[in-house]
Amino acid sequence: MNNMSSEIKSIIGKKYPTEAACARAIGWDRRALNKLTTGKKEPNLTELLTLSNALECSAENLAIIFLRVKSPNGQRKS
């Protein structure tokens, strides 16, 4: 599991018993959330805001986690 994936899953685990429970709470299919948490898909702004509201964390903090993966030379560290 990559660092981004483990960070997101850890945040989800603090609020919900499972990733599927989180997905249900925000009205998403479990597979849609899993694509984000595994890095197979990047969240758009709406998805990022929805997820941040469900997890009661800032969209900025979530964006940093997702963007860290995109840094071409590892410059983006929080």
Side-chain angles (χ1 to χ4, degrees):
M1 187 176 336
N2 68 35
N3 193 34
M4 183 274 303
S5 181
S6 60
E7 281 187 79
I8 296 292
K9 289 178 186 247
S10 173
I11 293 169
I12 290 171
K14 290 177 184 173
K15 177 109 171 100
Y16 298 96
T18 64
E19 196 172 296
C22 177
R24 277 191 302 275
I26 55 181
W28 290 0
D29 182 81
R30 177 197 52 80
R31 292 169 293 184
L33 179 56
N34 186 260
K35 286 180 182 178
L36 296 179
T37 62
T38 60
K40 292 179 182 172
K41 180 184 181 297
E42 295 176 21
N44 63 34
L45 185 57
T46 302
E47 292 166 335
L48 189 69
L49 291 172
T50 300
L51 191 54
S52 72
N53 285 332
L55 299 176
E56 297 176 352
C57 67
S58 75
E60 180 183 11
N61 287 342
L62 279 183
I64 287 170
I65 294 169
F66 284 106
L67 290 173
R68 212 178 295 132
V69 174
K70 295 309 238 179
S71 179
N73 58 5
Q75 290 176 325
R76 184 69 175 158
K77 306 243 190 274
S78 59

